[in-house]
Amino acid sequence: MKTTYITLFTLALFVAACGSKKTTKKEVIRPVRYQQVHKSGGKSSRTFSGVARASTETRLSFKVSGTIQVLNVKVGQQVKAGQLIASVDAADYVLQYEDAKASLRNVEAQRQNAQSSYNRLRQLYENNNASLSDYEKAKTGYESAKATVNSIKKKIALAQSQINYTKIVAPRDGVVAEVLVETNENVSPGRPIVQLDSGKELEVKVDIPEVFIAKVKSGDTVQMRFSAQPQTLYKGIVHEVAFTASRGKTTYPVTVKILNPDQNMRPSMTCNVTFVFDYGIATPKMLVPAIAVRQDVQGKRYVFTVKDVKGESSKVVKQVVKVGDLTEEGIEIMQGLKESELVVTAGVSKLKDGQKVRLSR
């Protein structure tokens, strides 16, 4: 009995000790996306990244496979039309050419014999001194020999073309922008070897998000600042607007011609391109993405604003708002927000008032 009391007492102490320990849960800091509130309407500017490029870019490649023997250019080199760029080993194609020529000599002799036999039997047949079957046999043999000769001639022409294809020459004057292979490297037909930039004018390629592409029109004027010389403002005009998005992206390529280029510009330089969009609204409105606005059980509309930004950690506050019209740019906020406030735009459904978050663009 004494042993039983001791066991129960020990168990009670163990349970009490376990109960005294507090379980601490690690606070989850949820990542959210956000944007700064601004007024839109009338005319509004948007800036996108662009890259300068030559007005004509040509990627040169071989039409035959082989091992590169000659690589005659380097990046930045000026080349003239007709200048040799690169060549591959032509030995195999020369052998094919010589074999085809040797075959042609043999089949030419066979064709001549077949023609002589055909001419002789035709005369005999016309004089009733040869049978129809012998005449037709000679005729068939002659036509077959002619077809063989023509086939070999085509092989010779193909072999000659393949020999010619072992060399790449510059199609026009230009500058070597990129060399994509090395000497002694095996290449396949169609693989780019060198990029040649030509044309006196530079263009800028800009990727425009799908929500703005409908507002971009050919002939629109833009302003540009290049990263290499941010103090200089350049003017441009929209030259081409793509009808379909870039492969694997939700952006549309737009080509801008530079109206006041100078000698400081180079292909592949990056720049910021500013477009001015006219929304056709007389009075600017404060707009936020529609996904940022929620509705509680009482029917009140609200957003989460970002407060107490400290490094990676911030806090969100539930803010009741009064909404107006829903436009293609977002939903109008009539009351409850101030310009320049930060509003959560992604991850809203899982937030609570006062919750800590990590900001992510």
Side-chain angles (χ1 to χ4, degrees):
M1 181 66 71
K2 183 177 181 181
T3 303
T4 302
Y5 286 140
I6 293 173
T7 302
L8 291 174
F9 179 72
T10 303
L11 181 61
L13 289 176
F14 177 75
V15 172
C18 291
S20 64
K21 292 183 180 180
K22 294 182 179 180
T23 303
T24 58
K25 291 185 178 180
K26 187 177 180 180
E27 185 178 8
V28 177
I29 299 179
R30 189 176 300 280
V32 296
R33 293 185 182 274
Y34 70 98
Q35 77 172 39
Q36 194 173 40
V37 178
H38 64 277
K39 289 186 177 181
S40 296
K43 293 185 178 181
S44 177
S45 63
R46 291 288 187 276
T47 300
F48 307 100
S49 297
V51 179
R53 65 181 188 182
S55 57
T56 303
E57 294 180 345
T58 307
R59 288 207 160 191
L60 305 178
S61 62
F62 289 103
K63 292 185 177 181
V64 294
S65 60
T67 302
I68 293 181
Q69 281 191 328
V70 176
L71 190 58
N72 221 23
V73 294
K74 58 184 179 181
V75 174
Q77 180 178 337
Q78 296 272 354
V79 296
K80 296 290 185 181
Q83 181 176 333
L84 179 66
I85 300 294
S87 65
V88 295
D89 186 2
D92 291 343
Y93 303 110
V94 171
L95 286 175
Q96 292 175 12
Y97 176 75
E98 295 297 337
D99 287 345
K101 287 185 68 176
S103 297
L104 180 62
R105 288 192 290 268
N106 292 331
V107 298
E108 275 285 8
Q110 295 173 8
R111 183 194 63 79
Q112 290 177 1
N113 292 334
Q115 184 176 10
S116 298
S117 178
Y118 168 67
N119 290 337
R120 181 175 59 82
L121 281 170
R122 184 179 63 181
Q123 291 179 354
L124 291 174
Y125 175 72
E126 290 174 351
N127 294 325
N128 295 321
N129 292 322
S131 65
L132 176 62
S133 61
D134 289 340
Y135 166 72
E136 289 181 342
K137 182 178 180 181
K139 182 180 179 181
T140 301
Y142 173 53
E143 291 176 347
S144 176
K146 284 199 303 181
T148 302
V149 169
N150 291 334
S151 176
I152 297 298
K153 286 182 177 179
K154 290 180 180 179
K155 288 183 178 180
I156 291 175
L158 176 60
Q160 182 63 64
S161 295
Q162 289 178 322
I163 292 174
N164 295 337
Y165 292 154
T166 60
K167 296 180 180 180
I168 293 179
V169 297
R172 61 183 67 85
D173 295 352
V175 179
V176 177
E178 195 172 5
V179 177
L180 304 167
V181 295
E182 296 180 356
T183 306
N184 297 322
E185 186 174 347
N186 289 321
V187 295
S188 56
R191 176 182 170 182
I193 304 299
V194 168
Q195 178 174 312
L196 183 67
D197 288 354
S198 54
K200 296 181 179 180
E201 298 180 354
L202 282 180
E203 298 176 339
V204 172
K205 179 187 174 184
V206 191
D207 289 327
I208 304 296
E210 58 184 4
V211 295
F212 295 108
I213 191 62
K215 301 184 184 302
V216 179
K217 301 291 187 294
S218 181
D220 288 351
T221 56
V222 300
Q223 293 183 335
M224 294 169 285
R225 290 188 186 274
F226 283 82
S227 302
Q229 34 192 348
Q231 73 283 358
T232 305
L233 183 65
Y234 295 93
K235 295 181 180 180
I237 186 169
V238 175
H239 178 56
E240 294 177 348
V241 180
F243 184 73
T244 57
S246 301
R247 182 177 299 179
K249 298 182 179 180
T250 57
T251 57
Y252 291 73
V254 171
T255 302
V256 175
K257 281 191 173 182
I258 304 172
L259 297 179
N260 55 333
D262 57 34
Q263 68 278 8
N264 296 320
M265 293 181 177
R266 297 287 187 276
S268 300
M269 280 186 171
T270 59
C271 64
N272 289 325
V273 184
T274 301
F275 293 75
V276 177
F277 300 132
D278 189 350
Y279 293 101
I281 303 174
T283 304
K285 297 181 179 181
M286 186 177 296
L287 302 174
V288 299
I291 196 174
V293 181
R294 306 283 294 179
Q295 185 173 356
D296 60 20
V297 293
Q298 297 176 346
K300 295 181 179 180
R301 302 291 181 91
Y302 66 92
V303 298
F304 282 105
T305 58
V306 180
K307 305 291 184 181
D308 301 333
V309 179
K310 297 177 181 178
E312 294 185 356
S313 177
S314 305
K315 183 177 73 173
V316 293
V317 175
K318 181 179 177 181
Q319 179 65 49
V320 176
V321 295
K322 181 180 179 181
V323 301
D325 296 331
L326 177 63
T327 71
E328 62 179 10
E329 302 302 319
I331 191 167
E332 180 186 4
I333 303 298
M334 302 180 69
Q335 290 181 5
L337 285 181
K338 296 179 181 179
E339 198 165 5
S340 299
E341 282 192 285
L342 303 182
V343 173
V344 177
T345 58
V348 182
S349 61
K350 298 181 180 180
L351 294 180
K352 296 180 180 179
D353 189 22
Q355 183 175 346
K356 287 186 178 181
V357 295
R358 185 177 73 252
L359 301 184
S360 173
R361 276 288 190 181

